[in-house]
Coordinates of all heavy atoms in Angstrom, one line a residue:
T1 N 295.3 68.7 102.8 CA 295.0 67.7 101.8 C 294.0 68.2 100.8 O 293.6 67.4 99.9 CB 294.5 66.4 102.4 OG1 293.2 66.7 103.1 CG2 295.5 65.9 103.4
S2 N 293.6 69.5 100.8 CA 292.5 70.0 100.0 C 292.8 69.9 98.5 O 291.9 69.5 97.8 CB 292.2 71.4 100.4 OG 293.3 72.3 100.3
R3 N 294.0 70.2 98.1 CA 294.3 70.2 96.7 C 294.2 68.7 96.2 O 293.8 68.5 95.0 CB 295.6 70.8 96.4 CG 295.7 72.3 96.6 CD 296.9 72.9 95.9 NE 298.2 72.4 96.5 CZ 299.3 72.3 95.8 NH1 299.4 72.7 94.5 NH2 300.4 71.8 96.4
A4 N 294.7 67.8 96.9 CA 294.7 66.4 96.5 C 293.2 65.9 96.5 O 292.8 65.2 95.5 CB 295.5 65.6 97.5
M5 N 292.5 66.2 97.5 CA 291.1 65.8 97.5 C 290.2 66.4 96.5 O 289.1 65.8 96.1 CB 290.5 66.0 98.9 CG 291.0 65.2 100.0 SD 290.8 63.4 99.7 CE 289.0 63.3 99.7
A6 N 290.6 67.5 95.9 CA 289.8 68.2 94.8 C 289.9 67.4 93.5 O 289.1 67.7 92.6 CB 290.3 69.6 94.7
L7 N 290.8 66.5 93.4 CA 291.0 65.8 92.1 C 289.9 64.7 92.0 O 289.8 63.9 92.9 CB 292.4 65.1 92.0 CG 293.6 66.1 92.0 CD1 294.9 65.3 92.0 CD2 293.5 66.9 90.7
P8 N 289.2 64.6 90.9 CA 288.2 63.5 90.7 C 288.9 62.2 90.7 O 290.0 62.0 90.1 CB 287.6 63.8 89.3 CG 287.9 65.3 89.1 CD 289.2 65.6 89.8
G9 N 288.4 61.2 91.5 CA 289.0 59.9 91.5 C 289.9 59.7 92.8 O 290.2 58.6 93.1
V10 N 290.2 60.8 93.5 CA 290.9 60.6 94.8 C 289.8 60.3 95.9 O 288.9 61.1 96.0 CB 291.7 61.9 95.2 CG1 292.3 61.7 96.6 CG2 292.8 62.1 94.2
L11 N 290.0 59.2 96.5 CA 289.0 58.7 97.5 C 289.2 59.3 98.9 O 288.3 59.7 99.6 CB 289.0 57.2 97.5 CG 288.7 56.5 96.2 CD1 288.8 55.0 96.3 CD2 287.3 56.9 95.7
K12 N 290.5 59.3 99.3 CA 290.8 59.8 100.7 C 292.3 59.9 100.9 O 293.1 59.2 100.3 CB 290.2 58.8 101.7 CG 290.2 59.4 103.2 CD 289.4 58.5 104.1 CE 289.3 59.1 105.5 NZ 288.4 58.3 106.4
V13 N 292.6 60.9 101.7 CA 294.0 61.0 102.1 C 294.1 60.7 103.6 O 293.5 61.5 104.4 CB 294.6 62.4 101.9 CG1 296.0 62.5 102.3 CG2 294.5 62.8 100.4
F14 N 294.7 59.6 104.0 CA 294.8 59.2 105.4 C 296.0 59.9 106.0 O 297.1 59.8 105.5 CB 294.9 57.7 105.5 CG 293.6 57.0 105.1 CD1 293.5 56.6 103.8 CD2 292.7 56.6 106.0 CE1 292.3 55.9 103.4 CE2 291.5 55.9 105.6 CZ 291.4 55.6 104.3
T15 N 295.8 60.5 107.2 CA 296.9 61.0 108.0 C 296.7 60.7 109.5 O 295.7 60.0 109.8 CB 296.9 62.6 107.9 OG1 295.8 63.1 108.6 CG2 296.8 63.0 106.4
H16 N 297.6 61.2 110.3 CA 297.4 60.9 111.7 C 296.1 61.6 112.3 O 295.6 61.2 113.4 CB 298.6 61.3 112.5 CG 298.8 62.8 112.6 ND1 299.4 63.5 111.5 CD2 298.5 63.7 113.5 CE1 299.4 64.8 111.9 NE2 298.9 64.9 113.1
E17 N 295.6 62.6 111.6 CA 294.5 63.3 112.0 C 293.2 62.6 111.8 O 292.2 62.9 112.5 CB 294.5 64.7 111.4 CG 295.7 65.6 111.8 CD 295.7 66.9 111.0 OE1 295.1 67.0 110.0 OE2 296.4 67.8 111.5
N18 N 293.1 61.8 110.8 CA 291.8 61.2 110.4 C 291.8 59.7 110.3 O 290.9 59.1 109.8 CB 291.3 61.8 109.1 CG 292.2 61.4 107.9 OD1 293.2 60.9 108.1 ND2 291.7 61.7 106.7
R19 N 292.9 59.1 110.7 CA 293.0 57.6 110.5 C 292.0 56.9 111.4 O 291.7 57.4 112.5 CB 294.4 57.1 110.8 CG 294.8 57.3 112.3 CD 296.1 56.5 112.7 NE 296.5 56.8 114.1 CZ 295.9 56.2 115.1 NH1 295.0 55.3 115.0 NH2 296.4 56.5 116.3
P20 N 291.6 55.7 111.1 CA 290.7 55.0 111.9 C 291.4 54.6 113.2 O 292.6 54.5 113.3 CB 290.3 53.7 111.1 CG 290.6 54.1 109.7 CD 291.8 55.1 109.8
S21 N 290.6 54.3 114.2 CA 291.2 53.9 115.5 C 291.9 52.5 115.4 O 291.3 51.6 114.8 CB 290.1 53.8 116.6 OG 290.6 53.4 117.8
T22 N 293.0 52.3 116.0 CA 293.7 51.0 116.0 C 294.1 50.7 117.5 O 293.9 51.5 118.4 CB 295.0 51.1 115.1 OG1 295.8 52.2 115.5 CG2 294.6 51.2 113.7
A23 N 294.8 49.6 117.7 CA 295.2 49.1 119.0 C 296.0 50.2 119.7 O 296.8 50.9 119.1 CB 295.9 47.8 118.9
K24 N 295.9 50.2 121.0 CA 296.6 51.2 121.8 C 297.9 50.7 122.5 O 298.8 51.4 122.8 CB 295.7 51.8 122.9 CG 294.5 52.4 122.4 CD 293.6 53.0 123.5 CE 292.3 53.6 122.9 NZ 292.6 54.6 121.9
L25 N 298.0 49.3 122.7 CA 299.1 48.8 123.4 C 300.2 48.4 122.5 O 300.0 47.9 121.4 CB 298.7 47.6 124.3 CG 297.6 47.8 125.3 CD1 297.2 46.5 126.0 CD2 298.1 48.8 126.3
D26 N 301.5 48.5 122.9 CA 302.6 48.1 122.2 C 302.5 46.6 121.8 O 302.9 46.2 120.7 CB 303.9 48.3 122.9 CG 304.4 49.8 122.9 OD1 303.9 50.5 122.0 OD2 305.2 50.2 123.8
F27 N 302.0 45.8 122.7 CA 302.0 44.4 122.5 C 301.2 44.0 121.2 O 301.6 43.1 120.5 CB 301.2 43.7 123.7 CG 300.9 42.3 123.5 CD1 301.9 41.3 123.7 CD2 299.7 41.8 123.0 CE1 301.7 40.0 123.5 CE2 299.4 40.5 122.8 CZ 300.4 39.6 123.1
S28 N 300.2 44.8 120.9 CA 299.4 44.5 119.7 C 300.2 44.7 118.4 O 299.9 44.2 117.4 CB 298.2 45.4 119.7 OG 297.4 45.2 120.8
Y29 N 301.3 45.5 118.5 CA 302.1 45.8 117.3 C 303.3 44.9 117.2 O 304.1 45.0 116.2 CB 302.5 47.3 117.3 CG 301.3 48.3 117.1 CD1 300.5 48.6 118.2 CD2 301.0 48.8 115.8 CE1 299.5 49.5 118.0 CE2 299.9 49.7 115.7 CZ 299.2 50.0 116.8 OH 298.1 50.8 116.6
N30 N 303.5 44.1 118.2 CA 304.6 43.2 118.1 C 304.4 42.1 117.0 O 303.2 41.8 116.6 CB 304.8 42.5 119.5 CG 305.6 43.3 120.4 OD1 306.4 44.1 120.0 ND2 305.4 43.2 121.7
D31 N 305.5 41.4 116.7 CA 305.4 40.4 115.7 C 306.4 39.3 116.1 O 307.1 39.4 117.1 CB 305.6 40.9 114.3 CG 307.0 41.5 114.1 OD1 308.0 40.8 113.9 OD2 307.1 42.8 114.2
Q32 N 306.5 38.3 115.3 CA 307.4 37.1 115.6 C 308.9 37.5 115.6 O 309.7 36.7 116.2 CB 307.1 36.0 114.6 CG 305.8 35.4 114.7 CD 305.5 34.3 113.7 OE1 306.4 33.9 113.0 NE2 304.2 34.0 113.5
D33 N 309.2 38.6 115.1 CA 310.7 39.0 115.0 C 310.9 40.3 115.7 O 312.0 40.9 115.5 CB 311.1 39.1 113.6 CG 312.7 39.1 113.4 OD1 313.3 38.3 114.2 OD2 313.2 39.9 112.6
A34 N 310.0 40.8 116.5 CA 310.1 42.1 117.1 C 311.1 42.1 118.2 O 311.0 41.3 119.1 CB 308.7 42.6 117.6
P35 N 312.0 43.1 118.2 CA 312.9 43.2 119.3 C 312.3 43.9 120.5 O 311.1 44.4 120.4 CB 314.1 44.1 118.8 CG 313.4 44.9 117.7 CD 312.3 44.0 117.1
P36 N 312.9 44.0 121.7 CA 312.3 44.6 122.8 C 312.1 46.1 122.5 O 312.9 46.8 121.9 CB 313.3 44.4 123.9 CG 314.1 43.3 123.5 CD 314.2 43.3 122.0
G37 N 311.0 46.7 123.0 CA 310.8 48.1 122.8 C 309.4 48.4 122.4 O 308.4 47.6 122.6
S38 N 309.2 49.5 121.8 CA 307.9 50.0 121.3 C 307.9 50.0 119.8 O 308.5 50.9 119.2 CB 307.6 51.4 121.9 OG 306.4 51.9 121.4
P39 N 307.2 49.1 119.1 CA 307.2 49.0 117.7 C 306.7 50.3 117.0 O 305.8 51.0 117.6 CB 306.4 47.8 117.3 CG 306.3 47.0 118.6 CD 306.4 48.0 119.7
F40 N 307.2 50.6 115.8 CA 306.7 51.8 115.1 C 305.3 51.6 114.7 O 304.8 50.5 114.3 CB 307.6 52.0 113.8 CG 307.0 53.0 112.9 CD1 307.0 54.4 113.3 CD2 306.6 52.7 111.6 CE1 306.4 55.3 112.5 CE2 306.1 53.7 110.8 CZ 306.0 55.0 111.2
R41 N 304.5 52.7 114.9 CA 303.1 52.7 114.6 C 302.8 53.7 113.5 O 302.9 54.9 113.7 CB 302.2 53.0 115.8 CG 302.5 52.2 117.0 CD 301.5 52.6 118.1 NE 301.9 51.9 119.4 CZ 301.1 51.9 120.4 NH1 299.9 52.6 120.4 NH2 301.4 51.3 121.6
P42 N 302.5 53.3 112.3 CA 302.3 54.2 111.2 C 301.1 55.1 111.5 O 300.1 54.7 112.0 CB 302.0 53.3 110.0 CG 302.6 52.0 110.3 CD 302.4 51.9 111.8

């Protein structure tokens, strides 16, 4: 992400390597219309 971050005005590039911590269980990513399984986690 170095070339992108070098641009003035770019605040951050979020990836799987530097994202903030989020819930660990599948249950937390479920919603009112979620089918059985493991919901996608961006």
Side-chain angles (χ1 to χ4, degrees):
T1 64
S2 58
R3 290 196 299 153
M5 287 301 298
L7 294 176
V10 173
L11 301 177
K12 191 167 183 177
V13 180
F14 292 89
T15 72
H16 69 280
E17 296 177 339
N18 67 348
R19 66 165 177 83
S21 178
T22 54
K24 300 184 184 304
L25 300 177
D26 282 339
F27 173 81
S28 300
Y29 293 82
N30 277 331
D31 59 84
Q32 293 173 15
D33 196 42
S38 177
F40 172 63
R41 307 183 188 190

